[in-house]
Amino acid sequence: MARQLKIALIPGDGIGGDVVREATKVLDVVAGLADLTIDYTSYDLGAARYLATGELLPDSVVADLKKSDAILFGAIGDPSVAPGILERGIILQLRFVMDYYLNLRPVRLFPGVRGILADKSSQEIDMVVCREGTEGPYAGAGGTLRMGTSGEVVTEVAIHTHFAVERIIRDAFERATKRRNKVTLVAKTNVLVHSGSLWMRTFEAVSTEFPGVETDYCHVDAAAMYMLTTPERFDLVVTDNLFGDILTDIGAAISGGIGLAASGNIDPSGKNPSMFEPVHGSAPDIAGKGIADPTAAVLSMAMLLEHVGEDEAAGWVQSAVAEDLLTRSGQQRGTREIGDALADLASRGQMKA
């Protein structure tokens, strides 16, 4: 009997709908090969709903999303809405209510892709960043006094708890045992002494439970430099919310661009459905023009398949992307053309296995 997967779709704003459409096209192909039945439900979260109703993330939608097996998210943000409203009210709020404490971001240079580091090979750029997703400066602690006056005061407080720090570090060590047995902590212990001490002490304590895993430490500014000079230094990187956000954009640059960058918002406990999304933004200036590259969304969907235990199907998708990237040779193709090519390549997955 075919396994049924309930997939929630949140296209969001801008090119979100364009790339999600192509990702589901590829998913439908591999679902047929893997004896899966996909039940899609789409949710209209984003600028259009907010402008029409004032709603960002209604409780009723959250309740419905929790009934799904996983969520595929497109992009958020639109110039018609002030910065921060949609981002905080939808994507960050989803991370809080679904307890997505692990923001998982692979950084991989595929063969045939030319990144900004011309002297580095695909073997040298292959890491995963485990970014804490529920705390840090993004927790929303802060405020403004005397706004608009010469005496204006603002605070943006970073929140770090032992509970959250310990669980993300533990997850990173566990993932490292399935890769190359190395974990690098990135923090700023010499200046951010309070949070830095918590992260370092917790990192050292958890490391004693994983004697076979090599450990390393970098200040965040040094880590940014090393990602550009010696990316082969890194395998599993664990860091806080803000540092992870910045470092993974560097990671996207060295692995071929943000159009190839996938991510997962994970609740490792499995209590809530995890959510997968391309790292890129909504790019409203090109929305609907058919020129957005859907590869990052397709790779995010591969992460979704792997997360729900469909490793073989995920492998077909990843292989399709790798083959497509190897043969692109700078050719200009539209959103639908790339999606069709990836679907076709993925359809041959069983024959190549």
Side-chain angles (χ1 to χ4, degrees):
M1 182 180 294
R3 178 189 179 189
Q4 185 179 50
L5 287 178
K6 295 181 179 180
I7 305 298
L9 303 177
I10 305 177
D13 300 315
I15 62 171
D18 302 340
V19 299
V20 165
R21 187 179 307 112
E22 301 308 312
T24 56
K25 179 191 296 182
V26 178
L27 177 55
D28 288 339
V29 168
V30 297
L33 299 176
D35 198 24
L36 296 171
T37 299
I38 309 297
D39 181 12
Y40 295 110
T41 304
S42 187
Y43 296 89
D44 64 336
L45 301 176
R49 181 175 188 148
Y50 173 72
L51 292 171
T53 69
E55 294 179 316
L56 288 166
L57 184 64
D59 291 342
S60 59
V61 172
V62 173
D64 279 350
L65 290 171
K66 289 191 174 188
K67 298 174 185 176
S68 63
D69 294 303
I71 304 167
L72 185 63
F73 191 94
I76 204 75
D78 189 89
S80 64
V81 180
I85 293 177
L86 299 174
E87 295 83 357
R88 279 201 169 276
I90 298 176
I91 188 67
L92 290 187
Q93 188 62 18
L94 276 169
R95 290 176 184 170
F96 298 143
V97 300
M98 297 290 196
D99 201 21
Y100 293 149
Y101 69 83
L102 170 60
N103 187 239
L104 193 64
R105 295 193 174 186
V107 177
R108 176 188 175 192
L109 180 66
F110 283 88
V113 175
R114 186 178 179 85
I116 61 173
L117 306 181
D119 61 330
K120 298 298 178 181
S121 69
S122 57
Q123 288 77 29
E124 293 173 300
I125 301 178
D126 182 7
M127 70 187 82
V128 174
V129 178
C130 292
R131 167 193 172 194
E132 203 289 317
T134 62
E135 294 191 343
Y138 295 8
T144 303
L145 294 173
R146 298 188 293 275
M147 181 183 290
T149 74
S150 60
E152 183 171 352
V153 177
V154 300
T155 61
E156 206 80 58
V157 181
I159 303 296
H160 301 269
T161 66
H162 178 270
F163 169 76
V165 171
E166 193 272 343
R167 65 180 181 175
I168 188 69
I169 288 175
R170 183 173 301 281
D171 186 275
F173 272 94
E174 290 172 351
R175 289 177 187 276
T177 63
K178 301 177 180 67
R179 285 179 54 91
R180 300 195 296 273
N181 285 302
K182 181 178 180 180
V183 178
T184 301
L185 170 64
V186 173
K188 188 67 175 172
T189 57
N190 61 336
V191 176
L192 305 178
V193 294
H194 304 298
S195 61
S197 173
L198 173 60
W199 279 83
M200 179 60 78
R201 286 183 284 109
T202 308
F203 184 75
E204 291 174 345
V206 173
S207 71
T208 63
E209 302 175 33
F210 297 86
V213 177
E214 178 187 357
T215 60
D216 188 18
Y217 171 77
C218 289
H219 292 327
V220 63
D221 44 342
M225 176 182 68
Y226 293 140
M227 286 185 74
L228 293 169
T229 57
T230 53
E232 63 271 20
R233 172 177 180 148
F234 302 110
D235 182 40
L236 243 297
V237 175
V238 62
T239 189
D240 77 1
N241 210 335
L242 177 60
F243 294 160
D245 195 2
I246 296 168
L247 290 178
T248 51
D249 273 15
I250 297 175
I254 66 174
S255 58
I258 207 162
L260 303 180
S263 74
N265 297 279
I266 312 294
D267 173 9
S269 74
K271 295 178 182 177
N272 298 294
S274 293
M275 182 172 71
F276 301 83
E277 60 172 321
V279 173
H280 62 65
S282 59
D285 56 320
I286 62 170
K289 295 183 178 180
I291 59 176
D293 189 339
T295 303
V298 173
L299 284 171
S300 299
M301 188 269 294
M303 292 179 69
L304 182 157
L305 285 168
E306 187 173 27
H307 179 75
V308 298
E310 296 294 335
D311 293 354
E312 188 174 32
W316 296 335
V317 176
Q318 291 165 349
S319 295
V321 170
E323 186 173 347
D324 182 67
L325 291 172
L326 189 61
T327 57
R328 284 192 182 185
S329 301
Q331 58 183 305
Q332 297 296 315
R333 293 178 298 168
T335 309
R336 183 172 296 179
E337 291 176 287
I338 296 174
D340 287 345
L342 293 175
D344 179 61
L345 291 168
S347 71
R348 307 173 200 173
Q350 281 183 326
M351 294 185 288
K352 296 177 182 178

